[in-house]
Amino acid sequence: MSNVQVLVACMNQKDDSLYKEMNLQTDAILANQCDEYSYRLYTQADGNRVELISTADRGVGKNRNKALMNASGKYLLCSDQDMIYVDGYEKIVEDAFAQCPKADIIVFNLEYLNRFTPARKEDGKFKKVHLWNCMRYGTARVAMRKGAIDKACLSFSTLYGGGAKYSSGEDSLFIRDAFRKGLKMYASPIVIAKVKQEESSWFKGYNDKYFIDKGILIANAFPLMKGLLVYYFAYGMRNISGDYSFSKICKLMKQGFKEFNEL
């Protein structure tokens, strides 16, 4: 059994073919959304185990929670099926945690082959992540100690993400909750995988729903600061969101605040 286990949120998989497609080199769980409930275990030629756990549920949060509940590795990598891992990623993860034994979560860089929204990329330093910038990181970049996640009783929200009621945000809330539980998070400059991202499961362009959903997410994540954050977010989006002005973005996000309060 490898120390690193990859937890893949995927759809409509019939077998373990993602093991080769994603260049996986460790144990993995394929949390698969399809039209059936089943469990299959595949042993690879290199001895690694791939579990295909299929359900008819919908929503990436449910997928990731299913993988978390069945995980057994010392270090866990959250992943999507459009990722291709670099050779030797297991050693990269192990070395990063050895370099920073205080870390509970380490986020790595990704190389995007296609991109729907601007990519975040770290500079050449290994550094600590703080509460004020933790929500910039997506789950697909995250490696975490299983023991720390279990002790903190962390799970993903089922309200947000592809297939859920509201678009993105399940990963941001997961990381925010990790901080609230006292977990320590660091960022590594090392690229751990490439992302094909030929289409997005949730981003359909800048429209009313996009900004309303962002308002709902901010109201959930930072209820005491939402009144300030709406202006910060709208200011940053004013030049890249087409016909949406600063005031219109603010109005739609505040509509999201109201909708969240009515949940």
Side-chain angles (χ1 to χ4, degrees):
M1 178 181 292
S2 50
N3 281 330
V4 175
Q5 187 176 35
V6 182
L7 311 182
V8 185
C10 57
M11 295 182 65
N12 302 319
Q13 299 302 304
K14 303 296 184 182
D15 52 34
D16 62 338
S17 57
L18 279 180
Y19 186 80
K20 290 185 177 179
E21 291 176 19
M22 297 177 62
N23 195 33
L24 297 174
Q25 304 140 48
T26 61
D27 292 345
I29 293 177
L30 309 181
N32 180 44
Q33 291 187 4
C34 56
D35 295 320
E36 66 176 41
Y37 292 87
S38 63
Y39 174 87
R40 298 183 181 91
L41 175 62
Y42 300 90
T43 302
Q44 306 302 310
D46 54 15
N48 291 322
R49 292 158 51 94
V50 176
E51 299 174 71
L52 178 63
I53 303 174
S54 298
T55 67
D57 299 330
R58 292 294 180 265
V60 68
K62 292 181 180 179
N63 248 17
R64 297 203 191 281
N65 287 336
K66 182 69 70 175
L68 269 181
M69 286 189 294
N70 289 275
S72 57
K74 181 178 181 179
Y75 305 116
L76 306 177
L77 280 171
C78 288
S79 177
D80 298 316
Q81 69 184 69
D82 60 354
M83 295 173 64
I84 303 171
Y85 281 90
V86 301
D87 290 337
Y89 67 83
E90 181 176 20
K91 187 174 188 303
I92 291 173
V93 172
E94 291 175 332
D95 287 351
F97 279 101
Q99 177 184 346
C100 188
K102 294 182 179 180
D104 299 304
I105 296 174
I106 297 176
V107 290
F108 292 90
N109 267 327
L110 298 176
E111 179 182 339
Y112 290 89
L113 305 180
N114 301 286
R115 187 72 192 188
F116 297 94
T117 55
R120 298 282 189 182
K121 191 168 185 179
E122 296 308 307
D123 55 28
K125 299 177 181 178
F126 193 98
K127 59 188 179 183
K128 189 172 183 178
V129 177
H130 302 278
L131 179 61
W132 59 82
N133 65 347
C134 71
M135 291 182 65
R136 64 185 287 191
Y137 301 107
T139 307
R141 300 173 61 168
V142 164
M144 48 197 178
R145 294 184 190 271
K146 182 179 185 299
I149 300 302
D150 288 345
K151 288 178 183 177
C153 298
L154 291 175
S155 63
F156 288 90
S157 170
T158 59
L159 269 179
Y160 304 89
K165 184 175 182 179
Y166 305 114
S167 49
S168 65
E170 82 291 342
D171 45 2
S172 299
L173 292 174
F174 182 88
I175 290 172
R176 180 213 59 181
D177 289 345
F179 265 89
R180 287 184 173 178
K181 294 293 183 69
L183 273 64
K184 295 179 175 59
M185 180 173 167
Y186 291 79
S188 167
I190 299 174
V191 173
I192 201 169
K194 297 179 180 180
V195 183
K196 292 181 287 185
Q197 204 176 46
E198 294 171 351
E199 65 176 311
S200 173
S201 62
W202 65 269
F203 184 69
K204 307 303 180 185
Y206 296 112
N207 52 31
D208 286 9
K209 178 173 172 56
Y210 176 87
F211 293 109
I212 292 171
D213 285 2
K214 286 298 180 185
I216 291 169
L217 176 61
I218 288 175
N220 190 341
F222 299 107
L224 299 180
M225 297 179 61
K226 64 182 181 183
L228 293 176
L229 290 175
V230 63
Y231 297 114
Y232 175 81
F233 180 86
Y235 183 81
M237 294 293 297
R238 70 196 189 286
N239 293 325
I240 62 174
S241 53
D243 297 332
Y244 287 85
S245 65
F246 174 83
S247 59
K248 188 174 182 180
I249 294 172
C250 289
K251 181 179 179 180
L252 289 169
M253 292 183 68
K254 289 179 180 179
Q255 183 178 331
F257 293 174
K258 182 179 179 182
E259 185 170 335
F260 180 74
N261 289 335
E262 294 173 351
L263 286 177

